[in-house]
């Protein structure tokens, strides 16, 4: 999808340039941090991390719950890197974590770029010289976190409310699909994209980048790799409805393939765990109920693949 052909994509990409400028500001040490917020699935993480990858920036990514000690360790281990905190709203409700962020995001008067972050442990005080930057991504505005100290945090970083319209999100998903992702061809990505967007429209569900990249495409890969009995289209519909559904597409019988794969894993475990022929055959028969010939057949397959 070319921007010139899609005004929604062109408009979104124009706005995203501001986000990219702020990310570059953190990368080039012009400012210490960025707080990017907006509803989930709008491509915030994709925008930030794809730019960092493009710039070949050695950064640290953290997603999920962080304790104050976990945050301090992250700062300690990445003292001169960009740290991306994704969906870690819980730290904004922890006073100690907020104090750590305030220290890490300060602007030293000597213009050295080094901020000292202190943490009190059972062994004493630990002080880390931090010269990196922090990019926090959240679904909540800083005002949505109820803590007085957040005013001080807001003064230290740039904040951007990232709320693209649905038409812009659709255009972005189509653009991502047109480039191909996860090693899947653009043609197949666009096929999944079109199906997902149509099914979202039928159910009046707001589309999201995460719904496409992290869910629909993974369902497609699972199905196309022959690792699912259920067709990828049915898997996508089931996820959208968040329940089991009546299958509309042909299924794939994996019972024989999965049995062989299980037997290979058992055979490999036995080959690695036991030395004598008698022990191996005894273990094989106990665990599978299969014959000695079946064991040697699986062992031969493993050796042919270089696994044993």
């Amino acid at each position: 999808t070319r921007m010139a052909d899609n005004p929604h994509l062109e408009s979104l990409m124009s706005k995203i340039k501001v986000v990219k400028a702020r990310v570059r500001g953190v990368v080039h040490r012009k400012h210490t941090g960025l707080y990017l917020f907006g509803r989930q699935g709008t491509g915030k993480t994709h925008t930030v991390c794809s730019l960092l990858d493009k710039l070949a920036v050695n950064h640290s990514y953290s997603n999920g719950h962080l304790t104050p000690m976990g945050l301090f360790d992250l700062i300690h281990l990445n003292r001169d890197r960009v740290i991306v905190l994704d969906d870690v709203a819980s730290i904004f409700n922890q006073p100690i974590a907020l104090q750590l962020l305030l220290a890490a995001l300060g602007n030293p008067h000597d213009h050295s770029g080094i901020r000292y972050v202190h943490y009190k442990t059972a062994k004493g005080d630990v002080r880390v010289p931090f010269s990196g930057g922090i990019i926090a991504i959240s679904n909540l505005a800083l005002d949505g976190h109820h803590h007085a100290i957040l005013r001080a945090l807001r003064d230290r970083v740039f904040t951007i409310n990232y709320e693209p319209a649905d038409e812009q999100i659709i255009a972005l998903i189509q653009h991502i699909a047109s480039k191909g992702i996860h090693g899947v061809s653009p043609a197949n990505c666009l096929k999944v994209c079109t199906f997902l967007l149509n099914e979202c429209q039928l159910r009046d569900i707001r589309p999201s980048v995460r719904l496409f990249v992290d869910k629909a495409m993974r369902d497609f890969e699972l199905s196309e790799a022959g690792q699912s009995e259920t067709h990828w289209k049915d898997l996508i519909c089931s996820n959208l409805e968040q329940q089991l559904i009546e299958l509309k597409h042909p299924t794939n019988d994996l019972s024989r393939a999965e049995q062989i794969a299980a037997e290979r894993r058992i055979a490999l475990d036995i080959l690695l765990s036991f030395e004598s022929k008698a022990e191996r055959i005894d273990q094989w028969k106990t665990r599978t109920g299969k014959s000695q010939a079946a064991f040697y057949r699986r062992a031969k397959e493993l050796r042919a693949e270089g696994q044993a």
Side-chain angles (χ1 to χ4, degrees):
T1 303
R2 294 184 306 172
M3 284 193 287
D5 298 333
N6 193 321
H8 296 302
L9 180 62
E10 186 176 7
S11 174
L12 178 62
M13 289 304 183
S14 178
K15 293 177 181 178
I16 285 177
K17 286 180 180 178
V18 177
V19 177
K20 290 183 175 180
R22 294 307 183 199
V23 172
R24 285 188 170 96
V26 176
V27 169
H28 297 301
R29 306 295 194 263
K30 300 303 181 187
H31 39 264
T32 58
L34 167 66
Y35 188 85
L36 184 64
F37 68 96
R39 73 176 176 90
Q40 61 185 12
T42 52
K44 300 184 297 296
T45 302
H46 180 271
T47 298
V48 170
C49 291
S50 61
L51 177 58
L52 291 175
D53 289 340
K54 180 181 178 181
L55 297 175
V57 174
N58 189 4
H59 63 282
S60 175
Y61 176 82
S62 178
N63 176 266
H65 179 74
L66 261 185
T67 64
M69 187 65 202
L71 176 60
F72 181 77
D73 286 341
L74 199 61
I75 292 170
H76 192 187
L77 294 171
N78 300 280
R79 59 184 64 190
D80 59 351
R81 296 178 180 174
V82 173
I83 298 172
V84 179
L85 303 176
D86 193 7
D87 287 338
V88 286
S90 62
I91 65 173
F92 293 97
N93 296 317
Q94 302 178 64
I96 295 176
L98 282 173
Q99 292 289 352
L100 293 173
L101 283 176
L102 284 177
L105 294 167
N107 287 299
H109 297 299
D110 61 4
H111 304 293
S112 65
I114 298 175
R115 290 87 70 195
Y116 290 95
V117 183
H118 300 258
Y119 195 82
K120 194 179 293 289
T121 70
K123 297 180 179 179
D125 289 346
V126 181
R127 188 174 81 151
V128 174
F130 181 66
S131 60
I134 295 177
I135 299 173
I137 303 171
S138 177
N139 300 329
L140 288 175
L142 277 175
D143 291 337
H145 303 283
H146 303 293
H147 202 287
I149 204 170
L150 289 172
R151 285 193 297 272
L153 183 62
R154 193 161 54 242
D155 286 340
R156 281 165 165 76
V157 299
F158 287 97
T159 62
I160 298 178
N161 182 4
Y162 186 77
E163 285 285 353
D166 286 350
E167 293 80 9
Q168 293 176 325
I169 293 297
I170 290 171
L172 179 59
I173 293 171
Q174 292 169 334
H175 179 67
I176 293 171
S178 72
K179 303 293 184 181
I181 55 173
H182 300 163
V184 180
S185 70
N188 279 330
C189 289
L190 286 168
K191 178 169 65 175
V192 177
C193 169
T194 300
F195 179 79
L196 172 66
L197 293 176
N198 287 338
E199 295 301 316
C200 284
Q201 186 176 26
L202 285 173
R203 294 166 176 80
D204 197 26
I205 293 174
R206 300 181 78 178
S208 74
V209 173
R210 188 170 294 152
L211 198 56
F212 171 62
V213 175
D214 294 341
K215 294 187 176 180
M217 284 308 304
R218 294 302 187 187
D219 282 341
F220 176 80
E221 293 175 66
L222 186 72
S223 179
E224 289 297 292
Q227 296 171 331
S228 168
E229 293 179 305
T230 307
H231 194 277
W232 60 269
K233 291 183 177 180
D234 286 322
L235 290 174
I236 289 173
C237 290
S238 176
N239 176 58
L240 291 176
E241 296 185 16
Q242 297 186 354
Q243 62 182 349
L244 301 179
I245 62 171
E246 291 292 335
L247 302 184
K248 296 180 179 179
H249 300 85
T251 58
N252 183 22
D253 184 4
L254 295 183
S255 55
R256 178 60 181 161
E258 288 180 336
Q259 179 184 333
I260 292 174
E263 289 177 3
R264 286 184 178 182
R265 285 193 289 271
I266 292 171
L268 181 60
D269 183 52
I270 290 172
L271 287 169
L272 295 174
S273 303
F274 299 93
E275 294 290 338
S276 74
K277 172 182 173 181
E279 284 181 313
R280 288 175 172 177
I281 299 304
D282 180 63
Q283 284 291 320
W284 172 258
K285 290 181 177 180
T286 299
R287 294 174 64 176
T288 68
K290 296 294 186 72
S291 66
Q292 175 177 314
F295 172 74
Y296 287 123
R297 189 160 52 246
R298 299 292 170 249
K300 182 179 179 181
E301 292 167 355
L302 289 168
R303 292 190 180 100
E305 295 175 359
Q307 295 186 55

